[in-house]
Amino acid sequence: MASVVEYKGLKVGYYCGYCDSEEGKASCGMWAHSMTVQDYQDLIDRGWRRSGKYVYKPVMNQTCCPQYTIRCRPLQFQPSKSHKKVLKKMLKFLAKGEISKGNCEDEPMEPTMEDAVASDFALINKLDIQCDLKTLNDDLKESLKSEEKKKGKSSEREESNELIQSQDMEEKLDSGEPSQSVKVHTAPQPGKGADLSKPPCRKAKEIRKERKRLKLMQQNPGGELEGFQVRCQPPSLFPPKAKSNQPKSLEDLIFESLPESASHKFEVRLVPVSFEDPEFKSSFSQSFSLYVKYQMAIHQDPPDECGKTEFTRFLCSSPLEAENPPYGPDCGYGSFHQQYWLDGKIIAVGVIDVLPYCVSSVYLYYDPDYSFLSLGVYSALREIAFTRQLHEKTPQLSYYYMGFYIHSCPKMKYKGQYRPSDLLCPETYVWVPIEQCLPSLENSKYCRFNQDPEAVDEDRSKEPDRLQVFYKKTIMPYGVYKKQQRDPSEEAAVLQYARLVGQTCSERMLLFRN
């Protein structure tokens, strides 16, 4: 099935939840009736992001708080001191039921949902979804002569006043400390005026040990001296075991085995986001209740804004078509809920997309009663480990996308502390290590990260006439379609869309026009 999108155009001058500007935000958006995982991968590599089925891209040089796509490189990731602290805290809680107290100041902040306010995305209320989704899909299948039957997904009518709570709902990770640098202890340098020709001073204790050793050697010339030497020599003179010299890996810390007498039973389940999946369906009610509890407690949402409809549209409705190719990961590609079960109940849910090159984090909601476990940080580390696990079978899947990095918003800078990580250049769409970007961001909210002044967007729209349009049940190139149109604003909208999605996606995706 091809991706079918309905471009909604540019929206400027609306409320920003990051800086509280009443009319500072600017973004372009489209409604994705269906989308392949490859198309979505290519779109997020051009700065797009989804909230439910709405896919949007901030206008970086206009918006008040530029949002840079950020990705972590899990294969080189080393947990920082604060990350290890969170993982050890979880292990202690599971093994002995211990709850860490008195270190609230050291804990990372809770995940924010600054943009998750109704006013931020009131524009979606006005979206006129002009087509019946079932009819559209049937028409598309007919025109594509598709041989396989549609699985019945999204057969109900998309109502004209679709409400999606938020545009930027992927703000799910907690903050963590930056990776700590390793301190190398070197021998103290001799002071000025030290006489280097003389032997260094020796402590009386060392002299006594040396005498004792010589006495024993005289008493037992061929004896078992090795054991004594090991016991008496200062430990620093002996190389540590190879294993203890290596820092514990992320997996060592996460999957450390619990004793049989552990206080709690804990498991993480990956469930496809589909009402046809029995596990998703059977856990839906509990998952929804957890979402309501989280939104009301953490974000002070009123009950009428945490309804089943909002939950479904925001976190259970995805345009991504599930795919299970033989060369792909065992779980397949698509949208998933990663459920954290403690003693038979769900305490957290991480919403993620598994794409050809990455695991993309969408959102996290959790039981506020377990805030002491720093579940935002914990789930991020689990998702990094999960990406590494998928990479073993599918080598090209090797990144963890954390949504948007907003340097101008102090509460959103924590994502830069999962290192090594890269930011996406908003002009040439190449990845640049975050360390190289930070000095520029200190001087200006909006930055081009690519240092080559000659570099351009390699996938820019060069031949807009090749863009694919889906019009009146027929697929046609834009070059054919535009001959039937007399509205000058039509061409401007289509060319804007082509520029934003790039040549590759414009030729693959079908732009629905009515």
Side-chain angles (χ1 to χ4, degrees):
M1 192 58 142
S3 300
V4 182
V5 299
E6 193 168 348
Y7 186 58
K8 293 296 173 184
L10 172 67
K11 302 289 176 186
V12 292
Y14 62 102
Y15 176 74
C16 172
Y18 296 115
C19 68
D20 285 332
S21 164
E22 287 299 326
E23 45 188 39
K25 288 201 84 169
S27 71
C28 295
M30 58 189 173
W31 190 263
H33 293 284
S34 67
M35 186 166 282
T36 66
V37 289
Q38 185 61 60
D39 284 341
Y40 186 52
Q41 175 73 68
D42 290 347
L43 286 173
I44 62 174
D45 284 336
R46 292 183 66 81
W48 291 81
R49 195 86 190 145
R50 80 173 182 88
S51 176
K53 288 190 170 187
Y54 188 75
V55 187
Y56 62 97
K57 177 174 167 39
V59 182
M60 298 290 278
N61 56 358
Q62 286 183 42
T63 195
C64 52
C65 297
Q67 296 153 263
Y68 298 92
T69 303
I70 183 170
R71 72 177 187 187
C72 171
R73 284 177 260 149
L75 306 187
Q76 293 85 39
F77 175 80
Q78 286 291 339
S80 71
K81 190 177 174 183
S82 72
H83 295 151
K84 289 176 183 175
K85 186 176 160 189
V86 169
L87 295 174
K88 286 172 184 173
K89 180 169 61 177
M90 174 65 89
L91 282 170
K92 273 186 185 177
F93 172 71
L94 296 176
K96 302 174 186 176
E98 286 182 18
I99 297 174
S100 302
K101 289 181 181 177
N103 58 347
C104 294
E105 297 91 12
D106 302 328
E107 288 307 315
M109 53 176 271
E110 294 301 334
T112 62
M113 200 168 66
E114 285 297 302
D115 258 3
V117 285
S119 56
D120 178 43
F121 214 30
L123 62 99
I124 295 300
N125 286 324
K126 299 170 186 172
L127 280 185
D128 180 20
I129 307 303
Q130 296 164 324
C131 56
D132 183 304
L133 188 55
K134 186 175 189 304
T135 307
L136 184 147
N137 281 334
D138 289 345
D139 292 346
L140 177 58
K141 278 192 296 180
E142 189 183 312
S143 61
L144 289 172
K145 295 186 171 71
S146 175
E147 68 282 352
E148 62 177 13
K149 290 187 177 180
K150 185 158 173 63
K151 295 176 181 174
K153 276 189 181 178
S154 308
S155 60
E156 62 187 67
R157 185 180 178 81
E158 295 283 350
E159 296 178 10
S160 61
N161 63 340
E162 282 286 354
L163 170 66
I164 300 176
Q165 287 185 317
S166 160
Q167 183 177 17
D168 308 296
M169 296 279 209
E170 81 294 334
E171 313 307 344
K172 63 152 298 243
L173 304 177
D174 277 341
S175 65
E177 291 175 14
S179 298
Q180 303 294 318
S181 57
V182 178
K183 291 179 182 173
V184 180
H185 296 283
T186 54
Q189 295 297 316
K192 284 181 183 176
D195 188 350
L196 299 181
S197 63
K198 291 182 181 178
C201 294
R202 297 173 68 195
K203 289 182 180 176
K205 190 177 177 183
E206 284 179 23
I207 295 169
R208 284 198 304 272
K209 276 185 185 175
E210 182 67 16
R211 283 180 185 156
K212 192 171 182 181
R213 191 176 70 85
L214 291 168
K215 191 176 177 183
L216 273 167
M217 282 177 74
Q218 287 167 357
Q219 290 173 355
N220 188 11
E224 298 168 0
L225 187 59
E226 195 178 339
F228 179 80
Q229 280 182 306
V230 171
R231 285 194 297 274
C232 287
Q233 291 278 21
S236 58
L237 299 181
F238 286 81
K241 290 177 188 173
K243 191 174 178 185
S244 63
N245 208 20
Q246 295 294 320
K248 275 192 174 182
S249 74
L250 181 62
E251 287 77 8
D252 290 339
L253 291 160
I254 288 176
F255 302 114
E256 192 168 309
S257 56
L258 294 169
E260 283 185 23
S261 59
S263 299
H264 298 284
K265 186 184 175 188
F266 182 71
E267 66 173 316
V268 179
R269 299 179 193 169
L270 187 72
V271 182
V273 176
S274 165
F275 285 100
E276 292 171 13
D277 183 84
E279 208 168 347
F280 180 81
K281 203 170 177 180
S282 66
S283 62
F284 178 84
S285 178
Q286 193 185 155
S287 185
F288 168 60
S289 299
L290 178 65
Y291 166 78
V292 174
K293 185 178 181 181
Y294 172 79
Q295 294 297 121
M296 289 174 67
I298 303 295
H299 300 296
Q300 286 77 51
D301 283 3
D304 60 338
E305 285 179 21
C306 316
K308 202 167 280 189
T309 306
E310 287 76 21
F311 172 65
T312 304
R313 284 175 180 161
F314 166 35
L315 295 174
C316 307
S317 183
S318 168
L320 300 184
E321 299 290 339
E323 292 178 29
N324 284 280
Y327 54 82
D330 292 336
C331 62
Y333 298 113
S335 297
F336 297 86
H337 280 189
Q338 200 156 39
Q339 301 173 340
Y340 295 78
W341 289 77
L342 180 74
D343 301 331
K345 71 170 187 173
I346 304 174
I347 62 161
V349 177
V351 184
I352 58 173
D353 293 329
V354 178
L355 303 173
Y357 310 133
C358 73
V359 169
S360 173
S361 164
V362 180
Y363 197 60
L364 173 84
Y365 54 99
Y366 61 85
D367 189 333
D369 295 345
Y370 294 91
S371 292
F372 63 88
L373 288 174
S374 305
L375 289 167
V377 174
Y378 183 77
S379 67
L381 297 172
R382 288 290 302 223
E383 287 168 13
I384 289 170
F386 178 57
T387 307
R388 281 155 57 144
Q389 185 187 336
L390 297 183
H391 170 79
E392 288 177 17
K393 187 188 174 189
T394 312
Q396 71 270 24
L397 204 165
S398 54
Y399 296 102
Y400 176 56
Y401 284 47
M402 296 179 280
F404 288 134
Y405 173 81
I406 304 166
H407 191 77
S408 55
C409 177
K411 284 185 278 189
M412 297 307 302
K413 288 165 76 170
Y414 64 86
K415 291 181 182 183
Q417 294 163 353
Y418 290 82
R419 303 279 180 100
S421 56
D422 310 300
L423 297 183
L424 187 67
C425 175
E427 293 180 12
T428 61
Y429 303 114
V430 296
W431 293 99
V432 180
I434 193 168
E435 293 85 354
Q436 293 177 32
C437 306
L438 295 178
S440 305
L441 287 170
E442 287 295 326
N443 296 324
S444 171
K445 282 184 179 182
Y446 173 74
C447 298
R448 170 195 167 108
F449 299 135
N450 193 327
Q451 296 299 304
D452 179 1
E454 304 296 317
V456 293
D457 168 14
E458 293 294 339
D459 192 40
R460 65 194 179 282
S461 177
K462 304 178 201 70
E463 299 178 79
D465 282 0
R466 292 168 62 98
L467 179 150
Q468 294 296 296
V469 175
F470 186 44
Y471 178 62
K472 289 186 176 177
K473 303 184 183 182
T474 308
I475 297 168
M476 62 185 79
Y478 176 63
V480 174
Y481 168 78
K482 70 180 178 182
K483 290 173 185 172
Q484 306 173 31
Q485 302 304 311
R486 295 195 178 123
D487 182 358
S489 67
E490 174 79 358
E491 182 170 21
V494 173
L495 293 178
Q496 185 182 68
Y497 160 83
R499 180 175 59 80
L500 295 171
V501 303
Q503 187 69 35
T504 305
C505 280
S506 73
E507 288 187 40
R508 263 197 328 240
M509 303 195 306
L510 303 180
L511 176 63
F512 178 81
R513 304 309 283 170
N514 188 353

